[in-house]
Amino acid sequence: MKKITAFALVAFALSACSSPEKQAQRAQQQILHSEPNLAAAQRAAVIDCTPANCDAAWALTKRYIQQHSDTHITHADAVAIDTDVPDDSGKAAFSATRAQKSGGGATLTLFAQCRGMYGPDSAKGSDYDECAEKILTTQNGYVPFLMSHASQQ
């Protein structure tokens, strides 16, 4: 009986120690996975290209979307790339636009959405953290991907 009581006390003490750590980790995730960070990632997923490199950058954009989307590309032309809408919650879909600039070149923009990210009244949905992580990683990696691959061409 004393062994069971001692074991229960040790287990309780250990769970109490890990609880603040878990709470701190959740709080950190909530800070990382926040609307301001998602808005910043959207602003970072924009790049201008010149007439000389726009076609190559657009082709790389399509490849990047293929590599990161949970769904396949349903449409791709000279001005837009779209992936299918995910069937399952927590799955990310991406799209991109190529907006011509006066004087030549274009602005390329990568957009993201995720099923299950938001609930009613724009509240955070059950898959918010998982979705936010996918979106943040992909959008923040888009311009560096283009820059690194463009320098290799």
Side-chain angles (χ1 to χ4, degrees):
M1 182 73 160
K2 286 184 180 182
K3 287 183 182 181
I4 293 173
T5 305
F7 178 77
L9 287 174
V10 169
F12 178 73
L14 290 174
S15 68
C17 290
S18 67
S19 182
E21 290 171 5
K22 287 181 183 178
Q23 287 174 351
Q25 187 177 28
R26 278 190 217 117
Q28 180 66 23
Q29 279 185 333
Q30 289 174 347
I31 291 168
L32 292 174
H33 302 158
S34 66
E35 292 303 304
N37 286 346
L38 288 168
Q42 180 60 64
R43 288 188 302 274
V46 177
I47 190 168
D48 288 332
C49 56
T50 65
N53 69 4
C54 252
D55 288 340
W58 191 239
L60 286 169
T61 298
K62 182 178 178 184
R63 184 167 59 158
Y64 188 78
I65 289 172
Q66 287 171 322
Q67 291 173 351
H68 291 86
S69 180
D70 290 323
T71 61
H72 63 279
I73 291 178
T74 59
H75 171 85
D77 62 21
V79 296
I81 301 169
D82 297 301
T83 63
D84 204 358
V85 176
D87 291 333
D88 298 328
S89 182
K91 302 287 185 179
F94 298 92
S95 62
T97 59
R98 179 179 178 174
Q100 292 302 122
K101 293 172 55 172
S102 63
T107 300
L108 309 182
T109 306
L110 179 69
F111 299 96
Q113 61 184 2
C114 195
R115 179 172 235 126
M117 189 165 180
Y118 297 102
D121 300 323
S122 298
K124 290 181 179 180
S126 60
D127 292 318
Y128 184 88
D129 287 330
E130 179 183 356
C131 289
E133 183 66 29
K134 288 178 185 178
I135 289 170
L136 290 166
T137 300
T138 303
Q139 285 190 309
N140 287 328
Y142 172 62
V143 171
F145 173 84
L146 290 182
M147 301 294 280
S148 71
H149 284 78
S151 66
Q152 296 172 5
Q153 295 181 3

